Amino acid sequence: MITYKNKTSKIKRIKAREILDSRGNPTIEVELETDFGIFRGSVPSGASKGKYEARELRDGGKRYNGMGVLKAVKNVNEIIGPKLIGKDSTNQKEIDEILINLDGTEDKSKLGANAICGVSMSVCQAGASSQNLPLYKYIARIYSGQTPVKNTIPRACFNIINGGAHAGNDLDFQEFMIVPHTRPQGGYSSFSDNLRVASEIYHQLKEILEKKFGQLAANLGDEGGFAPPIRFPQEAIELILEAAKKLDYEIKIILDVAASQFFKNGKYRMKIGVFSREGLLNYYSDLIQKYPIMGLEDPFSEDDWPAWQKLTSNFEDRASIHGSESKNIRSSLPFAATRVGEEEDEVLFDFQTSNLLIIGDDLTVTNPRRIKMAKEKEDCNAMILKINQIGTITEALEAAKLAKSFGWKIIVSHRSGETNDDFISDLAVGIGADFIKAGAPARGERVAKYNRLLKIEEELRWAS
Ligand code: PGA
Ligand code: ZN
């Protein structure tokens, strides 16, 4: 227990409330009080959720089209709260264990992963404040005993064209993300440059879309990227490359296919056609040959293990497409984060020699059990980390540790339904993640995360 000038880190009060997320659907915000102040955690929500994620509790019925979270709120106020009053907020692990045991189900469906996640996040904020640490340093401490793990800011992947479940257009693939590379005079070493270039490309893309398809093409999807009236992934990629080229920027592209969304009866049923596993694999191979694609997220369904294996083994033989001498995709993977307080033009991410990132999201769902399965089957070499996929901070940190022990790259991620909570920015820095994805460099709930990273970068620079 932390005691400072008669203040203690004991939890005095916990209260949850129903608020709205960025899609206008209800979500839960938890407020927790200690002598050090009042701390909040608000929980995001996915539209293309993985089948194996922890379960959000929704009320059903007519209210908010069944999306209300009053049951989850009640669970926090009446079941979880009373058990945590008087506990030490700096003991994240013990509190998360209480939450897991109180729920007692595999998927946290009894009390609701949303209820549990909000509590776990607010406890973490309270713990940081009691120790007088910024959240990222506190997370680094509970993650590895050091503050911070690495003096780096993760490199951001900006989702600038939206499709799939996040947009009302005909694109089957859900996210077209850019990772800015070099500027004419050299490389980037700062997150602020990373963000600026992404923003410039975003606005350039808007201009191109409006010229080609009219103003409606600049309408936005759920994550703030444009949702133009196009159908083929190649068209989206070409438009993005055109925007980057116009500004003389080099970029890499990560595609979140979110393939579980259109996998039915053993086939990938897209608007551009029905693909077998092999057909889709060939399609990816063509895209990768032709375009500067750095990563594929959920290229196959969460249950189609053999397809993932095929992709992985195919690219073991073909790693040279990115200029690498290596024949093994698990070797010489990119070092992604940007170091703070070093030479301006230092680039830690090796864009030219990096191999393809094969990224599990619905496949791995931030769940150590699924992550181990994916490792055994050699299905991926990178992983999305989303706290609410598993429900507690402690379990999310365990998942990150496990993935790191396999040499995987970690991408900390928002959800398509977000709030202005910027917890994930501190999480990404605290665990030394390689990447963060928080949508487009636009819309309040997305830029909340990027703006928080700007502040952390400033702080780290002052300290170095
Ligand atoms: P979701 O999508 O938040 O709608 O699940 C994000 C993702 O698939 O990465
Ligand atoms: Zn995804």
Side-chain angles (χ1 to χ4, degrees), residues 273-412:
V274 177
F275 286 68
S276 65
R277 178 185 292 158
E278 289 73 25
L280 190 53
L281 190 65
N282 289 336
Y283 184 57
Y284 291 142
S285 301
D286 288 347
L287 289 179
I288 291 162
Q289 296 277 10
K290 198 156 174 213
Y291 301 112
I293 291 174
M294 194 175 93
L296 290 177
E297 181 180 335
D298 280 345
F300 295 102
S301 142
E302 58 221 335
D303 291 318
D304 196 2
W305 300 95
W308 286 81
Q309 276 164 349
K310 267 198 177 155
L311 181 68
T312 311
S313 58
N314 262 22
F315 282 93
E316 261 171 349
D317 299 334
R318 303 178 55 197
S320 58
I321 52 163
H322 286 290
S324 167
E325 292 300 303
S326 168
K327 290 279 177 239
N328 186 335
I329 62 160
R330 279 173 294 279
S331 67
S332 69
L333 281 166
F335 193 130
T338 55
R339 195 180 296 277
V340 173
E342 303 239 331
E343 285 304 301
E344 189 53 30
D345 60 358
E346 183 187 6
V347 182
L348 289 175
F349 187 96
D350 188 346
F351 279 87
Q352 299 313 331
T353 61
S354 68
N355 292 318
L356 186 71
L357 293 173
I358 298 173
I359 307 161
D361 176 14
D362 293 351
L363 180 80
T364 38
V365 290
T366 317
N367 183 325
R369 198 173 48 79
R370 296 277 304 178
I371 294 166
K372 277 185 204 144
M373 277 164 73
K375 171 63 185 166
E376 270 161 30
K377 295 177 195 290
E378 300 282 358
D379 273 2
C380 57
N381 57 25
M383 182 190 91
I384 295 290
L385 189 84
K386 293 169 172 165
I387 315 164
N388 76 327
Q389 279 183 329
I390 185 76
T392 66
I393 302 298
T394 303
E395 289 165 291
L397 297 183
E398 266 169 37
K401 262 188 208 154
L402 190 62
K404 269 200 186 171
S405 76
F406 299 152
W408 293 2
K409 296 292 155 191
I410 297 179
I411 304 167
V412 168

Side-chain angles (χ1 to χ4, degrees), residues 27-169:
T27 190
I28 188 166
E29 177 177 76
V30 174
E31 203 167 271
L32 182 150
E33 188 175 350
T34 71
D35 287 342
F36 291 92
I38 292 173
F39 307 93
R40 293 185 185 88
S42 55
V43 183
S45 176
S48 68
K49 294 189 199 81
K51 190 155 81 179
Y52 302 101
E53 291 191 25
R55 299 265 160 232
E56 293 174 332
L57 190 61
R58 299 271 177 195
D59 298 338
K62 264 176 91 177
R63 195 174 164 274
Y64 278 121
N65 296 315
M67 300 285 281
V69 293
L70 293 182
K71 285 181 188 163
V73 164
K74 195 165 175 229
N75 288 345
V76 173
N77 293 344
E78 294 179 11
I79 300 174
I80 297 174
K83 288 275 190 284
L84 297 188
I85 304 298
K87 297 279 178 214
D88 182 357
S89 63
T90 61
N91 208 337
Q92 186 77 39
K93 198 161 180 227
E94 186 200 331
I95 291 176
D96 285 343
E97 267 161 22
I98 293 173
L99 295 173
I100 292 164
N101 292 333
L102 261 182
D103 176 82
T105 64
E106 263 287 298
D107 57 6
K108 302 191 174 66
S109 52
K110 188 170 161 217
L111 297 175
N114 42 355
I116 290 172
C117 191
V119 173
S120 191
M121 288 166 79
S122 60
V123 167
C124 197
Q125 295 274 14
S129 174
S130 314
Q131 298 201 346
N132 200 22
L133 287 172
L135 185 59
Y136 62 93
K137 285 197 179 160
Y138 179 71
I139 290 174
R141 186 175 283 180
I142 58 177
Y143 179 65
S144 72
Q146 292 171 30
T147 43
V149 179
K150 288 196 282 187
N151 202 18
T152 58
I153 303 285
R155 193 168 284 270
C157 319
F158 301 93
N159 179 11
I160 61 173
I161 290 190
N162 294 184
H166 296 168
N169 58 7

Side-chain angles (χ1 to χ4, degrees), residues 46-49 166 174-175 223 256 297 361 386 415-416 437:
S48 68
K49 294 189 199 81
H166 296 168
Q174 184 177 276
E175 297 169 25
E223 296 192 350
D256 183 3
E297 181 180 335
D361 176 14
K386 293 169 172 165
R415 300 305 301 245
S416 52
K437 67 168 200 170

Side-chain angles (χ1 to χ4, degrees), residues 158-164 169 171-178 225-226 230-237 240 253-256 287:
F158 301 93
N159 179 11
I160 61 173
I161 290 190
N162 294 184
N169 58 7
L171 280 168
D172 300 293
F173 289 11
Q174 184 177 276
E175 297 169 25
F176 295 80
M177 291 174 270
I178 58 165
F226 301 110
I230 52 176
R231 177 168 278 228
F232 289 93
Q234 308 81 292
E235 292 176 85
I237 296 170
I240 289 172
I253 287 173
I254 297 181
L255 301 174
D256 183 3
L287 289 179

